[in-house]
Amino acid sequence: MPVPHLRLGVNIDHVATIRNARGGIHPDPVRAAKVAIAAGADGITAHLREDRRHIRDDDIARLKAAIDKPLNFEMAATDEMVGIALQTNPYATCLVPEKRTERTTEGGLDVARQHIVLAPVVTELSRAGIRVSLFIAPERPQIEMAAAIRAPVVEIHVGAWCEALATGNARSAETEWQRIRDGAAFAKTLGLEVHAGHGLDYATAEVIAELPEIVELNIGHFLVGESVFDGLSETVTKMRAAMDRGRAKVRRL
Ligand code: PXP
């Protein structure tokens, strides 16, 4: 079986973070999205948080109108966000947990416990033709419930693995890696499409790319940070190359 293409979704939230630090309109996340696409991004991800700390409502509308690649609308499963998603009609949504006090999305959704709330959201968005992904830890009960409530996609939270590697905790990194690998394989057996994201950089994206079950990576903070040194276009090009190097190893296994 041929190894599927690994898509790169570029999350442009932190371009908006920099813009909002001063107010005004610069740097424009829509311009960043266009640059990322020209450099090889397969899609653009933007998270409209309840507090609008980075992406704002008009960014979502402008992104939808301006980009010619799939828009992945990251959102909490609230009535407000479902309404905006239905109005915007993005290609995809990724449902994430959201806490006001967190600096970034800290953990995955507890689908196993919150399925009563999540199931109707998955159904409503799917009926509108929007692909729904659930951002979860690579744990069997979460994966099983995601499949049970008919989410077509899960995005595996790989932040704990990236963090363990970054802090030199080899044992924890190995444990997290096994969880990711087993979780991705298990999700695939249940018919789920598998994505991954959170905390990825060139090195970790290259390693994750070796898992053939994973067909999309969503990456933001590292790309925007690295753009300070190399520019966004060059950074996306390098990330694409890292992912391709990892993917090429699958064929050699
Ligand atoms: N995927 C999801 C669901 C996320 O919440 C985030 C963070 O906004 C990302 C991917 C990207 O993570 P990072 O910015 O650390 O690359």
Side-chain angles (χ1 to χ4, degrees):
M1 269 233 305
V3 179
H5 173 66
L6 179 60
R7 298 190 298 268
L8 170 60
V10 172
N11 180 316
I12 42 82
D13 290 352
H14 297 303
V15 177
T17 304
I18 298 169
R19 175 196 61 192
N20 297 356
R22 280 286 170 97
I25 59 169
H26 184 270
D28 182 9
V30 178
R31 181 175 165 199
K34 288 182 181 171
V35 170
I37 288 169
D42 298 289
I44 297 297
T45 297
H47 183 181
L48 186 67
R49 294 184 79 104
E50 184 196 16
D51 63 8
R52 307 316 197 250
R53 71 174 72 155
H54 36 58
I55 293 295
R56 299 177 185 145
D57 300 61
D58 70 304
D59 294 328
I60 294 292
R62 290 188 309 119
L63 281 166
K64 177 68 172 51
I67 64 171
D68 56 4
K69 291 277 181 176
L71 173 63
N72 178 28
F73 178 55
E74 206 182 303
M75 55 178 265
T78 60
D79 289 346
E80 182 198 19
M81 290 301 154
V82 170
I84 294 170
L86 294 174
Q87 200 185 343
T88 308
N89 193 27
Y91 174 78
T93 53
C94 180
L95 303 185
V96 297
E98 205 174 286
K99 289 190 222 120
R100 276 186 208 177
T101 50
E102 69 191 357
R103 267 196 278 177
T104 180
T105 313
E106 279 168 3
L109 280 170
D110 192 349
V111 191
R113 284 213 186 137
Q114 293 170 355
H115 61 96
I116 307 251
V117 176
L118 292 167
V121 175
V122 172
T123 303
E124 194 172 3
L125 294 171
S126 299
R127 276 209 190 114
I130 302 169
R131 188 192 73 188
V132 184
S133 155
L134 302 180
F135 189 46
I136 57 168
E139 292 162 1
R140 280 191 170 232
Q142 304 299 348
I143 296 165
E144 279 166 345
M145 190 55 84
I149 65 172
R150 296 182 178 277
V153 181
V154 286
E155 179 168 324
I156 295 181
H157 194 315
V158 296
W161 173 62
C162 294
E163 178 74 17
L165 285 173
T167 54
N169 190 338
R171 187 184 289 193
S172 167
E174 184 51 34
T175 307
E176 292 300 331
W177 175 248
Q178 300 288 351
R179 273 161 35 99
I180 294 167
R181 217 183 48 186
D182 295 350
F186 180 58
K188 179 88 194 292
T189 65
L190 297 185
L192 290 157
E193 180 172 313
V194 188
H195 301 177
H198 213 284
L200 291 167
D201 60 12
Y202 295 138
T204 46
E206 184 171 339
V207 177
I208 281 276
E210 291 179 37
L211 299 181
E213 298 86 5
I214 295 181
V215 296
E216 181 173 311
L217 301 182
N218 285 298
I219 311 177
H221 186 266
F222 174 80
L223 292 175
V224 174
E226 199 62 12
S227 300
V228 171
F229 307 108
D230 274 349
L232 182 58
S233 182
E234 175 73 9
T235 303
V236 171
T237 303
K238 283 187 181 171
M239 182 56 79
R240 181 70 261 169
M243 289 163 56
D244 291 345
R245 278 195 304 277
R247 214 50 164 182
K249 289 182 201 155
V250 180
R251 294 187 183 88
R252 290 207 294 272
L253 290 181

